[in-house]
């Protein structure tokens, strides 16, 4: 069973701090990695996608991918209370067209 | 561009009853997904369609769940009969394409608002 694992949290950070969210995956055939944000009672919305090893930055968000370690992370700089949500890691395994979501990490940004 | 549409938004039924959910994906999106999300958990893929063909239904409880996408556009997910443990949010998502030639932004999934099901 291919797995995507995340710490369920909650992860509490003060406003203005850097929040670091982590995700590990078991399938070495995985090629595409996504971070979704889900507010309580709402549907997931895409934050970042990453396909190659290294860092990808978009505004206050940075995704990091290390395929050798099977590890993907999301950094949120200058965290705001509006960033408080559950962050879902999703992994697409191309060969068998499998899509797997992690259980999500709940982030709380304290004003 | 219109997003993914789902109906109904809420449904309350008693166990052993049947229920159906409808999804209309973003225009032009070939791939359609149905997920079950139980409170406090991540979305669990139930079934994935590419046009009107099934790509993956390995986690669909086929004794009670069924889904179809007859014309390759909108889709219906049915539960018959429902059990208490089926209480969850049912999310529909679509993506432009999900191919095997390499990673692509075309794989990005866009989610509908979901249907909240409560089975009593």
């Amino acid at each position: 069973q291919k797995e995507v694992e995340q710490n369920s949290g909650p992860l509490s950070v003060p406003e203005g701090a850097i929040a670091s969210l982590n995700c590990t995956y078991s399938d070495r055939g995985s090629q595409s990695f996504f971070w979704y944000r889900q507010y309580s009672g709402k549907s997931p919305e895409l934050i970042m996608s990453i396909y190659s090893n290294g860092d990808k930055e978009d505004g206050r968000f940075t995704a990091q991918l290390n395929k050798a370690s099977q590890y993907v992370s999301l950094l949120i700089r200058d965290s705001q209370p509006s960033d408080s949500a559950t962050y879902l890691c999703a992994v697409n395994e191309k060969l068998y067209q499998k899509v797997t979501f992690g259980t999500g990490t709940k982030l709380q940004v304290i004003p | 561009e219109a997003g993914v549409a789902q109906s109904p938004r809420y449904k309350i039924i008693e166990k052993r009853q049947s229920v159906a959910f409808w999804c209309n994906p973003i225009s032009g999106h070939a791939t359609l997904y149905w997920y079950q999300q139980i409170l406090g958990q991540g979305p669990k893929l139930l079934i994935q369609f590419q046009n009107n063909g099934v790509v993956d239904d390995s986690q669909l409880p086929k004794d009670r769940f069924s889904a179809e996408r007859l014309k390759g556009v909108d889709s219906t997910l049915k539960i018959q009969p429902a059990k208490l443990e089926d209480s969850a949010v049912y999310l529909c998502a679509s993506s432009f394409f999900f191919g095997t030639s390499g990673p692509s932004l075309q794989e990005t999934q866009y989610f509908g608002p979901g249907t909240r099901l409560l089975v009593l």
Side-chain angles (χ1 to χ4, degrees):
Chain A
Q1 177 70 29
K2 299 176 177 59
E3 294 182 350
V4 177
E5 296 188 352
Q6 298 180 254
N7 187 322
S8 61
L11 173 65
S12 295
V13 300
E15 183 175 355
I18 296 175
S20 178
L21 305 164
N22 304 314
C23 172
T24 59
Y25 60 94
S26 62
D27 184 10
R28 287 192 174 274
S30 301
Q31 296 190 21
S32 307
F33 307 87
F34 301 85
W35 283 100
Y36 286 84
R37 177 175 64 198
Q38 187 173 29
Y39 292 114
S40 180
K42 301 295 185 182
S43 296
E45 56 179 337
L46 182 71
I47 299 294
M48 295 279 288
S49 59
I50 187 166
Y51 311 107
S52 303
N53 281 327
D55 294 0
K56 179 181 177 182
E57 186 175 319
D58 184 359
R60 296 187 295 113
F61 299 95
T62 299
Q64 300 175 319
L65 176 61
N66 184 325
K67 289 187 177 181
S69 299
Q70 295 176 245
Y71 176 95
V72 58
S73 64
L74 179 69
L75 300 178
I76 306 175
R77 290 182 298 281
D78 187 24
S79 295
Q80 301 297 309
S82 58
D83 294 327
S84 297
T86 296
Y87 289 80
L88 298 163
C89 173
V91 175
N92 288 7
E93 191 281 311
K94 184 69 75 173
L95 182 61
Y96 299 105
Q97 300 186 27
K98 296 283 190 180
V99 180
T100 305
F101 276 80
T103 56
T105 298
K106 186 173 184 178
L107 173 67
Q108 295 177 341
V109 180
I110 311 301
Chain B
E1 179 181 85
V4 178
Q6 288 188 251
S7 67
R9 293 295 307 277
Y10 305 92
K11 191 75 177 179
I12 301 174
I13 62 172
E14 295 188 349
K15 61 182 179 183
R16 291 188 290 273
Q17 285 187 325
S18 63
V19 64
F21 311 127
W22 175 81
C23 172
N24 193 34
I26 292 173
S27 178
H29 279 196
T31 311
L32 185 148
Y33 313 78
W34 282 104
Y35 292 91
Q36 180 193 59
Q37 187 173 27
I38 293 173
L39 188 65
Q41 298 182 17
K44 170 188 168 184
L45 181 67
L46 294 175
I47 190 166
Q48 178 179 341
F49 292 96
Q50 186 91 325
N51 296 308
N52 61 351
V54 176
V55 174
D56 181 7
D57 63 356
S58 58
Q59 299 190 93
L60 186 75
K62 297 180 184 64
D63 58 335
R64 298 185 300 107
F65 286 64
S66 64
E68 60 182 15
R69 192 185 185 197
L70 293 176
K71 297 182 179 179
V73 180
D74 58 349
S75 175
T76 302
L77 176 70
K78 296 180 181 178
I79 308 175
Q80 182 179 7
K83 293 185 175 181
L84 297 178
E85 58 261 37
D86 298 332
S87 295
V89 176
Y90 290 84
L91 295 165
C92 179
S94 69
S95 63
F96 184 79
F97 185 71
F98 194 153
T100 57
S101 59
S104 167
L105 276 175
Q106 295 177 335
E107 298 172 6
T108 300
Q109 296 184 39
Y110 298 88
F111 285 82
T115 296
R116 292 183 176 274
L117 174 66
L118 179 60
V119 182
L120 301 175

